[in-house]
Coordinates of all heavy atoms in Angstrom, one line a residue:
M1 N -15.0 -1.5 4.2 CA -14.8 -1.5 2.8 C -13.5 -2.1 2.4 O -12.5 -1.7 3.0 CB -14.9 -0.1 2.2 CG -16.3 0.6 2.4 SD -16.2 2.3 2.0 CE -16.3 2.2 0.2
L2 N -13.5 -3.0 1.5 CA -12.2 -3.7 1.1 C -11.7 -3.1 -0.3 O -12.5 -2.9 -1.2 CB -12.4 -5.2 0.9 CG -12.5 -6.0 2.2 CD1 -13.0 -7.4 1.9 CD2 -11.2 -6.0 3.0
F3 N -10.4 -3.0 -0.4 CA -9.8 -2.5 -1.6 C -8.6 -3.3 -1.9 O -7.8 -3.6 -1.0 CB -9.4 -1.0 -1.4 CG -10.5 0.0 -1.2 CD1 -10.9 0.2 0.1 CD2 -11.1 0.6 -2.3 CE1 -11.9 1.1 0.3 CE2 -12.1 1.5 -2.0 CZ -12.6 1.8 -0.7
L4 N -8.4 -3.6 -3.2 CA -7.2 -4.2 -3.7 C -6.3 -3.0 -4.2 O -6.9 -2.2 -5.0 CB -7.4 -5.2 -4.8 CG -6.2 -5.7 -5.6 CD1 -5.4 -6.6 -4.7 CD2 -6.7 -6.5 -6.8
V5 N -5.1 -2.9 -3.8 CA -4.3 -1.8 -4.2 C -3.0 -2.3 -4.7 O -2.3 -3.2 -4.1 CB -4.0 -0.8 -2.9 CG1 -3.0 0.3 -3.3 CG2 -5.3 -0.3 -2.4
R6 N -2.6 -1.8 -5.9 CA -1.2 -2.1 -6.4 C -0.4 -0.8 -6.3 O -0.8 0.3 -6.7 CB -1.3 -2.5 -7.9 CG 0.1 -2.8 -8.4 CD 0.1 -3.3 -9.8 NE 1.5 -3.3 -10.3 CZ 2.1 -4.4 -10.8 NH1 1.5 -5.5 -11.0 NH2 3.4 -4.3 -11.2
M7 N 0.8 -1.0 -5.7 CA 1.7 0.1 -5.6 C 3.0 -0.2 -6.4 O 3.6 -1.3 -6.2 CB 2.1 0.3 -4.2 CG 1.0 0.6 -3.2 SD 1.6 0.8 -1.5 CE 0.1 0.3 -0.7
D8 N 3.3 0.7 -7.3 CA 4.6 0.5 -8.1 C 5.5 1.7 -7.6 O 5.1 2.9 -7.7 CB 4.3 0.7 -9.6 CG 3.5 -0.5 -10.1 OD1 3.9 -1.6 -10.0 OD2 2.4 -0.2 -10.6
V9 N 6.7 1.3 -7.1 CA 7.6 2.3 -6.5 C 8.7 2.6 -7.6 O 9.3 1.7 -8.1 CB 8.2 1.8 -5.2 CG1 9.1 2.8 -4.6 CG2 7.2 1.3 -4.3
N10 N 8.9 3.9 -7.8 CA 9.9 4.4 -8.7 C 10.7 5.5 -8.0 O 10.3 6.7 -8.0 CB 9.3 5.0 -9.9 CG 8.5 4.0 -10.7 OD1 9.1 3.0 -11.2 ND2 7.2 4.1 -10.7
I11 N 11.7 5.1 -7.2 CA 12.6 6.1 -6.6 C 13.6 6.7 -7.6 O 14.3 5.9 -8.2 CB 13.3 5.5 -5.4 CG1 12.2 5.0 -4.3 CG2 14.3 6.5 -4.7 CD1 12.8 4.3 -3.1
P12 N 13.6 8.0 -7.7 CA 14.5 8.6 -8.7 C 16.0 8.2 -8.4 O 16.4 8.2 -7.2 CB 14.3 10.1 -8.5 CG 13.2 10.3 -7.6 CD 12.9 9.0 -6.9
S13 N 16.7 7.9 -9.4 CA 18.1 7.5 -9.2 C 19.0 8.6 -8.7 O 20.0 8.3 -8.1 CB 18.7 7.0 -10.6 OG 18.6 8.0 -11.5
D14 N 18.5 9.9 -8.8 CA 19.4 10.9 -8.2 C 19.0 11.3 -6.7 O 19.6 12.2 -6.1 CB 19.3 12.2 -9.1 CG 17.9 12.8 -9.1 OD1 16.9 12.1 -8.7 OD2 17.7 13.9 -9.7
L15 N 18.1 10.5 -6.1 CA 17.8 10.7 -4.7 C 19.0 10.1 -3.9 O 19.3 8.9 -4.1 CB 16.5 10.0 -4.3 CG 15.9 10.4 -2.9 CD1 15.4 11.8 -2.9 CD2 14.8 9.4 -2.5
P16 N 19.6 10.8 -3.0 CA 20.7 10.3 -2.3 C 20.3 9.0 -1.6 O 19.2 8.9 -1.0 CB 21.1 11.4 -1.3 CG 20.6 12.6 -1.9 CD 19.3 12.2 -2.7
A17 N 21.2 8.0 -1.6 CA 21.0 6.7 -1.0 C 20.5 6.8 0.5 O 19.6 6.0 0.9 CB 22.2 5.8 -1.1
A18 N 21.2 7.6 1.2 CA 20.8 7.7 2.7 C 19.4 8.3 2.8 O 18.6 7.8 3.7 CB 21.8 8.7 3.4
E19 N 19.0 9.2 2.0 CA 17.6 9.7 2.0 C 16.6 8.7 1.7 O 15.6 8.5 2.3 CB 17.5 10.9 1.1 CG 16.3 11.8 1.4 CD 16.3 13.1 0.5 OE1 17.4 13.6 0.2 OE2 15.2 13.5 0.1
A20 N 16.9 7.9 0.6 CA 16.0 6.8 0.2 C 15.9 5.8 1.3 O 14.8 5.3 1.6 CB 16.6 6.2 -1.1
A21 N 17.0 5.4 2.0 CA 17.0 4.4 3.0 C 16.1 4.9 4.2 O 15.4 4.2 4.8 CB 18.4 4.1 3.5
E22 N 16.2 6.2 4.5 CA 15.4 6.8 5.6 C 13.9 6.8 5.3 O 13.1 6.4 6.1 CB 15.9 8.3 5.9 CG 15.1 9.0 6.9 CD 15.1 8.4 8.3 OE1 16.0 7.6 8.6 OE2 14.2 8.7 9.1
I23 N 13.6 7.1 4.0 CA 12.2 7.1 3.6 C 11.7 5.7 3.7 O 10.5 5.4 4.2 CB 12.0 7.7 2.2 CG1 12.4 9.2 2.2 CG2 10.6 7.5 1.7 CD1 12.5 9.7 0.8
K24 N 12.5 4.7 3.3 CA 12.0 3.3 3.3 C 11.8 2.8 4.8 O 10.9 2.1 5.1 CB 13.0 2.4 2.6 CG 13.0 2.5 1.1 CD 14.0 1.6 0.5 CE 14.3 1.9 -1.0 NZ 15.4 1.1 -1.5
A25 N 12.7 3.3 5.7 CA 12.6 2.9 7.1 C 11.3 3.5 7.7 O 10.5 2.8 8.4 CB 13.8 3.3 7.9
V26 N 11.0 4.7 7.4 CA 9.8 5.4 7.9 C 8.5 4.7 7.3 O 7.5 4.5 7.9 CB 9.8 6.9 7.6 CG1 8.5 7.6 8.1 CG2 11.0 7.5 8.3
E27 N 8.6 4.4 6.0 CA 7.6 3.7 5.3 C 7.2 2.3 5.9 O 6.1 2.0 6.1 CB 8.0 3.5 3.8 CG 7.0 2.6 3.0 CD 6.0 3.4 2.3 OE1 6.1 4.6 2.2 OE2 5.0 2.8 1.8
K28 N 8.3 1.6 6.3 CA 8.1 0.3 7.0 C 7.3 0.5 8.3 O 6.4 -0.3 8.6 CB 9.5 -0.4 7.2 CG 9.4 -1.8 7.7 CD 10.7 -2.4 7.7 CE 10.7 -3.9 8.1 NZ 11.9 -4.6 8.0
E29 N 7.7 1.5 9.1 CA 7.1 1.7 10.4 C 5.6 2.1 10.1 O 4.7 1.6 10.8 CB 7.7 2.9 11.1 CG 9.0 2.6 11.7 CD 8.8 1.6 12.9 OE1 8.0 1.8 13.7 OE2 9.6 0.6 12.9
Y30 N 5.4 2.9 9.2 CA 4.0 3.4 8.8 C 3.1 2.2 8.4 O 2.0 2.0 8.9 CB 4.1 4.4 7.7 CG 2.8 5.1 7.3 CD1 2.2 6.1 7.9 CD2 2.1 4.6 6.1 CE1 1.1 6.7 7.5 CE2 1.0 5.2 5.7 CZ 0.4 6.2 6.4 OH -0.7 6.8 5.9
S31 N 3.7 1.4 7.5 CA 3.0 0.2 7.0 C 2.7 -0.8 8.1 O 1.6 -1.3 8.2 CB 3.9 -0.5 5.9 OG 3.4 -1.7 5.6
Q32 N 3.7 -1.0 9.0 CA 3.4 -2.0 10.0 C 2.5 -1.5 11.1 O 1.7 -2.3 11.6 CB 4.8 -2.4 10.6 CG 5.6 -3.2 9.6 CD 6.9 -3.8 10.1 OE1 7.4 -3.3 11.1 NE2 7.5 -4.8 9.4
G33 N 2.4 -0.2 11.3 CA 1.4 0.4 12.2 C 0.0 0.1 11.6 O -0.9 -0.3 12.4
L34 N -0.2 0.3 10.3 CA -1.5 0.0 9.7 C -1.8 -1.5 9.7 O -3.0 -1.9 9.8 CB -1.5 0.6 8.3 CG -1.5 2.1 8.2 CD1 -1.0 2.6 6.9 CD2 -2.9 2.7 8.5
Q35 N -0.8 -2.3 9.5 CA -1.0 -3.8 9.6 C -1.5 -4.2 11.0 O -2.4 -5.0 11.2 CB 0.3 -4.5 9.2 CG 0.6 -4.4 7.7 CD 1.9 -5.0 7.4 OE1 2.2 -6.2 7.6 NE2 2.8 -4.2 6.8
R36 N -0.8 -3.6 12.0 CA -1.2 -3.9 13.4 C -2.6 -3.5 13.7 O -3.3 -4.2 14.5 CB -0.2 -3.3 14.4 CG 1.1 -4.0 14.3 CD 2.0 -3.6 15.5 NE 3.4 -4.0 15.2 CZ 4.3 -3.2 14.6 NH1 4.1 -2.0 14.3 NH2 5.5 -3.7 14.3
D37 N -3.0 -2.3 13.2 CA -4.4 -1.8 13.6 C -5.5 -2.4 12.7 O -6.6 -2.1 12.8 CB -4.4 -0.3 13.7 CG -4.4 0.4 12.3 OD1 -4.8 -0.2 11.3 OD2 -4.1 1.6 12.3
G38 N -5.0 -3.3 11.7 CA -6.0 -4.1 10.9 C -6.5 -3.4 9.6 O -7.2 -4.0 8.9
R39 N -5.9 -2.2 9.3 CA -6.4 -1.6 8.1 C -5.6 -2.0 6.9 O -6.0 -1.8 5.7 CB -6.3 -0.1 8.3 CG -7.4 0.5 9.2 CD -7.3 2.0 9.3 NE -6.2 2.4 10.0 CZ -5.8 3.7 10.1 NH1 -6.5 4.6 9.5 NH2 -4.8 4.1 10.9
W40 N -4.5 -2.7 7.1 CA -3.7 -3.2 6.0 C -3.4 -4.7 6.2 O -2.3 -5.1 6.5 CB -2.4 -2.4 5.9 CG -1.6 -2.5 4.7 CD1 -1.6 -3.5 3.7 CD2 -0.6 -1.6 4.2 NE1 -0.7 -3.3 2.7 CE2 0.0 -2.1 3.0 CE3 -0.1 -0.4 4.7 CZ2 1.0 -1.4 2.3 CZ3 0.9 0.2 4.0 CH2 1.4 -0.3 2.8
P41 N -4.4 -5.5 6.0 CA -4.3 -6.9 6.5 C -3.4 -7.8 5.6 O -3.0 -8.9 6.0 CB -5.8 -7.5 6.4 CG -6.5 -6.5 5.6 CD -5.8 -5.2 5.7
H42 N -3.2 -7.4 4.3 CA -2.3 -8.2 3.4 C -1.4 -7.3 2.6 O -1.9 -6.3 2.1 CB -3.2 -9.0 2.5 CG -4.0 -10.1 3.1 ND1 -3.5 -11.3 3.6 CD2 -5.3 -10.1 3.4 CE1 -4.5 -12.0 4.2 NE2 -5.6 -11.2 4.1
I43 N -0.2 -7.7 2.5 CA 0.8 -7.1 1.5 C 1.6 -8.2 0.9 O 2.2 -9.0 1.7 CB 1.6 -6.0 2.2 CG1 2.6 -5.4 1.2 CG2 2.3 -6.5 3.5 CD1 3.3 -4.1 1.7
W44 N 1.7 -8.2 -0.4 CA 2.5 -9.2 -1.1 C 3.4 -8.5 -2.1 O 3.0 -7.6 -2.8 CB 1.5 -10.2 -1.9 CG 0.7 -10.9 -1.0 CD1 -0.6 -10.7 -0.6 CD2 1.0 -12.2 -0.3 NE1 -1.0 -11.6 0.3 CE2 -0.1 -12.6 0.5 CE3 2.1 -13.0 -0.3 CZ2 -0.1 -13.7 1.2 CZ3 2.1 -14.2 0.4 CH2 1.0 -14.5 1.2
R45 N 4.6 -8.9 -2.2 CA 5.6 -8.5 -3.2 C 5.2 -9.1 -4.5 O 4.8 -10.2 -4.6 CB 7.0 -8.9 -2.8 CG 8.1 -8.5 -3.8 CD 8.2 -7.0 -3.9 NE 8.9 -6.3 -2.8 CZ 8.5 -5.1 -2.4 NH1 7.5 -4.4 -2.9 NH2 9.2 -4.5 -1.4
V46 N 5.3 -8.3 -5.6 CA 5.1 -8.8 -7.0 C 6.5 -9.3 -7.4 O 7.5 -8.5 -7.3 CB 4.7 -7.7 -7.9 CG1 4.6 -8.2 -9.3 CG2 3.3 -7.1 -7.5
V47 N 6.6 -10.5 -7.7 CA 7.9 -11.2 -8.0 C 8.6 -10.4 -9.1 O 8.1 -10.1 -10.2 CB 7.7 -12.7 -8.4 CG1 9.1 -13.3 -8.8 CG2 7.1 -13.4 -7.2
G48 N 9.9 -10.0 -8.8 CA 10.7 -9.4 -9.8 C 10.5 -7.9 -10.0 O 11.1 -7.3 -10.9
E49 N 9.6 -7.3 -9.2 CA 9.3 -5.9 -9.4 C 9.3 -5.2 -8.0 O 9.1 -5.8 -7.0 CB 7.9 -5.7 -10.0 CG 7.7 -6.4 -11.4 CD 6.3 -6.1 -11.9 OE1 5.8 -5.0 -11.8 OE2 5.8 -7.1 -12.5
Y50 N 9.6 -3.9 -8.1 CA 9.5 -3.1 -6.8 C 8.0 -2.6 -6.7 O 7.7 -1.4 -6.9 CB 10.5 -1.9 -6.9 CG 10.7 -1.2 -5.5 CD1 10.0 -1.6 -4.4 CD2 11.6 -0.2 -5.4 CE1 10.2 -1.0 -3.2 CE2 11.7 0.5 -4.2 CZ 11.0 0.1 -3.1 OH 11.2 0.7 -1.9
S51 N 7.2 -3.6 -6.5 CA 5.7 -3.4 -6.5 C 5.1 -4.3 -5.4 O 5.7 -5.3 -5.1 CB 5.1 -3.7 -7.8 OG 5.7 -3.0 -8.9
N52 N 3.9 -3.9 -5.0 CA 3.2 -4.8 -4.1 C 1.7 -4.8 -4.5 O 1.2 -3.8 -5.1 CB 3.4 -4.5 -2.6 CG 2.7 -3.2 -2.2 OD1 1.5 -3.2 -2.1 ND2 3.5 -2.1 -2.0
Y53 N 1.1 -5.9 -4.1 CA -0.4 -5.9 -4.1 C -0.8 -6.0 -2.6 O -0.2 -6.8 -1.8 CB -1.0 -7.2 -4.8 CG -1.1 -7.0 -6.3 CD1 -0.2 -7.7 -7.2 CD2 -2.1 -6.2 -6.8 CE1 -0.4 -7.5 -8.5 CE2 -2.2 -6.0 -8.2 CZ -1.4 -6.7 -9.0 OH -1.5 -6.5 -10.4
S54 N -1.7 -5.1 -2.2 CA -2.1 -5.1 -0.9 C -3.7 -5.1 -0.8 O -4.3 -4.6 -1.7 CB -1.6 -3.8 -0.2 OG -0.2 -3.8 -0.1
I55 N -4.2 -5.5 0.4 CA -5.6 -5.4 0.7 C -5.7 -4.4 1.8 O -4.9 -4.5 2.8 CB -6.2 -6.8 1.1 CG1 -6.1 -7.8 0.0 CG2 -7.6 -6.6 1.6 CD1 -7.0 -7.5 -1.2
F56 N -6.6 -3.4 1.7 CA -6.9 -2.5 2.7 C -8.3 -2.7 3.2 O -9.2 -2.9 2.3 CB -6.6 -1.0 2.2 CG -5.2 -0.6 2.1 CD1 -4.5 -0.9 1.0 CD2 -4.6 0.0 3.2 CE1 -3.1 -0.6 0.9 CE2 -3.2 0.3 3.1 CZ -2.5 0.0 2.0
E57 N -8.5 -2.5 4.5 CA -9.9 -2.6 5.0 C -10.1 -1.3 5.8 O -9.5 -1.1 6.9 CB -10.1 -3.8 5.9 CG -11.6 -3.9 6.3 CD -12.0 -5.3 6.8 OE1 -11.1 -6.1 7.1 OE2 -13.2 -5.5 7.0
V58 N -10.9 -0.4 5.2 CA -11.1 0.9 5.8 C -12.5 1.3 5.7 O -13.3 0.6 5.0 CB -10.2 2.0 5.1 CG1 -8.7 1.8 5.4 CG2 -10.5 2.0 3.6
A59 N -12.9 2.4 6.4 CA -14.3 2.7 6.4 C -14.9 3.5 5.2 O -16.1 3.5 5.0 CB -14.6 3.6 7.7
S60 N -14.0 4.1 4.5 CA -14.4 5.0 3.4 C -13.4 5.2 2.3 O -12.2 5.0 2.6 CB -14.9 6.3 3.9 OG -13.7 7.0 4.5
N61 N -13.8 5.7 1.2 CA -12.8 6.1 0.1 C -11.9 7.2 0.7 O -10.7 7.2 0.4 CB -13.6 6.7 -1.1 CG -14.3 5.7 -1.8 OD1 -14.2 4.5 -1.6 ND2 -15.1 6.1 -2.8
D62 N -12.5 8.1 1.5 CA -11.7 9.2 2.0 C -10.6 8.7 3.0 O -9.4 9.2 2.9 CB -12.5 10.2 2.7 CG -13.4 11.1 1.8 OD1 -13.1 11.1 0.6 OD2 -14.4 11.6 2.3
E63 N -11.0 7.7 3.8 CA -9.9 7.1 4.7 C -8.8 6.5 3.9 O -7.6 6.6 4.2 CB -10.6 6.1 5.7 CG -9.5 5.6 6.7 CD -10.1 4.7 7.7 OE1 -11.3 4.4 7.7 OE2 -9.3 4.2 8.5
L64 N -9.2 5.7 2.8 CA -8.2 5.1 2.0 C -7.3 6.1 1.4 O -6.0 6.0 1.4 CB -8.8 4.2 0.9 CG -7.7 3.4 0.1 CD1 -6.9 2.4 1.0 CD2 -8.3 2.7 -1.1
H65 N -7.9 7.2 0.9 CA -7.0 8.2 0.3 C -6.1 8.8 1.3 O -4.9 9.1 1.0 CB -7.9 9.4 -0.3 CG -7.1 10.4 -1.0 ND1 -6.6 10.2 -2.2 CD2 -6.7 11.6 -0.6 CE1 -5.8 11.3 -2.6 NE2 -5.9 12.1 -1.6
D66 N -6.6 9.1 2.6 CA -5.7 9.6 3.6 C -4.5 8.6 3.9 O -3.4 9.1 4.1 CB -6.5 9.9 4.9 CG -7.4 11.1 4.8 OD1 -7.3 11.8 3.8 OD2 -8.3 11.2 5.6
V67 N -4.9 7.3 4.0 CA -3.8 6.3 4.3 C -2.8 6.3 3.2 O -1.6 6.3 3.5 CB -4.5 5.0 4.5 CG1 -3.5 3.8 4.4 CG2 -5.2 4.9 5.9
L68 N -3.3 6.3 2.0 CA -2.3 6.1 0.8 C -1.5 7.4 0.6 O -0.3 7.3 0.4 CB -3.1 5.8 -0.5 CG -3.8 4.4 -0.4 CD1 -4.5 4.2 -1.8 CD2 -2.8 3.3 -0.2
S69 N -2.1 8.5 0.8 CA -1.4 9.8 0.5 C -0.4 10.1 1.7 O 0.5 10.9 1.6 CB -2.3 10.9 0.3 OG -3.2 11.1 1.3
G70 N -0.6 9.4 2.8 CA 0.3 9.5 4.0 C 1.5 8.6 3.9 O 2.4 8.7 4.7
L71 N 1.6 7.7 2.9 CA 2.7 6.8 2.7 C 4.0 7.7 2.4 O 4.0 8.5 1.5 CB 2.5 5.9 1.5 CG 1.5 4.8 1.7 CD1 1.1 4.2 0.3 CD2 2.0 3.6 2.6
P72 N 5.0 7.5 3.2 CA 6.2 8.2 2.9 C 6.8 8.1 1.5 O 7.4 9.0 1.0 CB 7.2 7.7 4.0 CG 6.4 7.2 5.1 CD 5.1 6.6 4.4
L73 N 6.5 6.9 0.9 CA 6.9 6.7 -0.5 C 5.9 7.2 -1.5 O 6.1 7.1 -2.7 CB 7.2 5.2 -0.8 CG 8.6 4.7 -0.2 CD1 8.6 3.2 -0.3 CD2 9.8 5.3 -1.0
F74 N 4.8 7.8 -1.0 CA 3.7 8.2 -1.9 C 4.2 9.1 -3.1 O 3.8 8.9 -4.3 CB 2.6 9.0 -1.1 CG 1.5 9.4 -1.9 CD1 0.5 8.5 -2.3 CD2 1.3 10.7 -2.3 CE1 -0.6 8.9 -3.1 CE2 0.2 11.1 -3.1 CZ -0.7 10.2 -3.5
P75 N 5.1 10.0 -2.9 CA 5.6 10.9 -4.0 C 6.3 10.1 -5.1 O 6.4 10.5 -6.2 CB 6.6 11.8 -3.4 CG 6.2 11.8 -1.9 CD 5.7 10.4 -1.6
Y76 N 6.7 8.8 -4.8 CA 7.5 8.0 -5.7 C 6.7 6.8 -6.2 O 7.3 5.8 -6.7 CB 8.8 7.6 -5.1 CG 9.5 8.7 -4.5 CD1 9.7 8.8 -3.1 CD2 10.0 9.8 -5.2 CE1 10.4 9.8 -2.5 CE2 10.7 10.8 -4.7 CZ 10.8 10.9 -3.3 OH 11.5 11.9 -2.7
M77 N 5.4 6.8 -6.0 CA 4.5 5.6 -6.3 C 3.5 5.9 -7.4 O 3.0 7.0 -7.4 CB 3.7 5.2 -5.1 CG 4.5 4.4 -4.0 SD 3.4 4.0 -2.7 CE 4.4 2.9 -1.7
D78 N 3.3 4.9 -8.2 CA 2.0 4.9 -9.0 C 1.1 3.9 -8.3 O 1.5 2.8 -7.9 CB 2.3 4.4 -10.4 CG 3.1 5.4 -11.2 OD1 2.9 6.6 -11.1 OD2 4.1 5.0 -11.9
I79 N -0.1 4.3 -8.0 CA -1.0 3.5 -7.2 C -2.3 3.3 -8.0 O -2.9 4.2 -8.6 CB -1.4 4.2 -5.9 CG1 -0.1 4.4 -5.1 CG2 -2.4 3.4 -5.1 CD1 -0.3 5.1 -3.7
Q80 N -2.7 2.0 -8.0 CA -4.0 1.6 -8.6 C -4.9 1.0 -7.6 O -4.5 0.1 -6.8 CB -3.8 0.6 -9.7 CG -3.1 1.1 -11.0 CD -2.9 0.0 -12.0 OE1 -2.6 -1.2 -11.6 NE2 -3.0 0.3 -13.2
V81 N -6.1 1.5 -7.5 CA -7.1 1.1 -6.4 C -8.3 0.4 -7.1 O -8.8 0.9 -8.0 CB -7.6 2.3 -5.6 CG1 -8.6 1.8 -4.6 CG2 -6.4 2.9 -4.9
T82 N -8.6 -0.8 -6.6 CA -9.7 -1.5 -7.1 C -10.7 -1.8 -5.9 O -10.3 -2.6 -5.0 CB -9.3 -2.9 -7.7 OG1 -8.4 -2.7 -8.7 CG2 -10.5 -3.6 -8.3
P83 N -11.9 -1.2 -5.9 CA -12.8 -1.5 -4.8 C -13.3 -2.9 -5.0 O -13.6 -3.4 -6.1 CB -13.9 -0.5 -5.0 CG -13.4 0.5 -6.0 CD -12.4 -0.2 -6.8
L84 N -13.5 -3.6 -3.8 CA -13.9 -5.0 -3.9 C -15.3 -5.2 -3.2 O -15.6 -4.5 -2.2 CB -12.9 -5.9 -3.1 CG -11.5 -5.9 -3.7 CD1 -10.6 -6.7 -2.7 CD2 -11.4 -6.5 -5.1
A85 N -16.1 -6.0 -3.9 CA -17.4 -6.3 -3.3 C -17.5 -7.8 -3.1 O -16.7 -8.6 -3.7 CB -18.5 -5.9 -4.3
K86 N -18.4 -8.3 -2.3 CA -18.6 -9.7 -2.0 C -19.0 -10.4 -3.3 O -19.9 -9.9 -4.0 CB -19.6 -9.9 -0.9 CG -19.7 -11.3 -0.4 CD -20.5 -11.4 0.9 CE -20.7 -12.8 1.4 NZ -19.5 -13.5 1.7
H87 N -18.4 -11.6 -3.6 CA -18.7 -12.3 -4.7 C -20.0 -13.2 -4.4 O -20.0 -13.8 -3.3 CB -17.6 -13.3 -5.1 CG -17.8 -13.9 -6.5 ND1 -18.6 -14.9 -6.7 CD2 -17.2 -13.5 -7.7 CE1 -18.6 -15.2 -8.0 NE2 -17.7 -14.4 -8.6
P88 N -20.9 -13.3 -5.3 CA -22.2 -14.0 -5.0 C -21.9 -15.5 -4.7 O -22.8 -16.2 -4.1 CB -23.1 -13.8 -6.2 CG -22.2 -13.3 -7.3 CD -21.0 -12.6 -6.6
S89 N -20.8 -16.1 -5.2 CA -20.5 -17.5 -5.0 C -19.7 -17.7 -3.7 O -19.4 -18.9 -3.4 CB -19.8 -18.1 -6.2 OG -20.6 -17.9 -7.4
D90 N -19.3 -16.7 -3.0 CA -18.5 -16.8 -1.9 C -19.3 -17.5 -0.7 O -20.4 -17.0 -0.4 CB -18.0 -15.4 -1.4 CG -17.0 -15.4 -0.2 OD1 -16.7 -16.5 0.3 OD2 -16.6 -14.3 0.2
I91 N -18.7 -18.6 -0.2 CA -19.4 -19.3 0.9 C -19.1 -18.7 2.3 O -19.7 -19.2 3.2 CB -19.2 -20.8 0.8 CG1 -17.7 -21.1 1.1 CG2 -19.6 -21.4 -0.5 CD1 -17.4 -22.6 1.3
N92 N -18.2 -17.8 2.4 CA -17.9 -17.3 3.7 C -18.8 -16.2 4.1 O -19.4 -15.5 3.4 CB -16.4 -16.8 3.7 CG -15.4 -17.9 3.4 OD1 -15.4 -18.9 4.1 ND2 -14.7 -17.7 2.4
Ligands
LIG1 O1 8.1 -2.0 -0.6 C1 7.0 -1.6 -1.1 O2 6.3 -2.4 -1.8 C2 6.5 -0.2 -0.9 C3 6.0 0.1 0.5 C4 4.8 -0.6 1.0 C5 5.0 -1.0 2.2 C6 6.4 -0.8 2.6 O3 6.9 -1.0 3.6 O4 7.0 -0.2 1.5

């Protein structure tokens, strides 16, 4: 199952810089692990925003929920999920 996911990150300004940097480093590792195993095949920065658009390929809604709620930055994110279906005009 394919999903388009938008993540908007809002780290509170009172979070100590070292703590924020550590969370971002762990987030990067977590994200790249999912990219390597094929469940997070695309991630794109939204120009000018601390946001991304990503494509996830997972087996179920529950798996996507587990993946997203496991993001180290999850407590500081607003997340929008759009399930994707094959377009009838797609030639692939
Ligand atoms: O930077 C972001 O968009 C938030 C998050 C998603 C992957 C990652 O490494 O950080």
Side-chain angles (χ1 to χ4, degrees):
M1 300 169 73
L2 284 170
F3 297 89
L4 174 66
V5 177
R6 178 177 172 127
M7 302 176 204
D8 296 301
V9 184
N10 299 292
I11 296 178
S13 55
D14 61 352
L15 192 73
E19 198 175 325
E22 174 61 19
I23 295 169
K24 287 181 195 176
V26 178
E27 173 90 14
K28 187 172 185 176
E29 285 294 310
Y30 181 85
S31 166
Q32 291 184 341
L34 289 159
Q35 290 174 56
R36 286 190 196 95
D37 75 21
R39 288 183 287 172
W40 194 338
H42 296 280
I43 179 168
W44 296 94
R45 178 63 78 217
V46 179
V47 174
E49 299 181 42
Y50 192 0
S51 305
N52 72 73
Y53 277 108
S54 291
I55 298 290
F56 284 85
E57 184 162 14
V58 292
S60 65
N61 291 349
D62 289 339
E63 183 177 359
L64 182 64
H65 184 77
D66 289 346
V67 163
L68 295 178
S69 58
L71 289 163
L73 284 171
F74 182 77
Y76 310 114
M77 283 178 170
D78 293 319
I79 299 178
Q80 293 178 320
V81 175
T82 305
L84 300 175
K86 190 169 176 60
H87 193 284
S89 299
D90 184 359
I91 61 168
N92 297 304

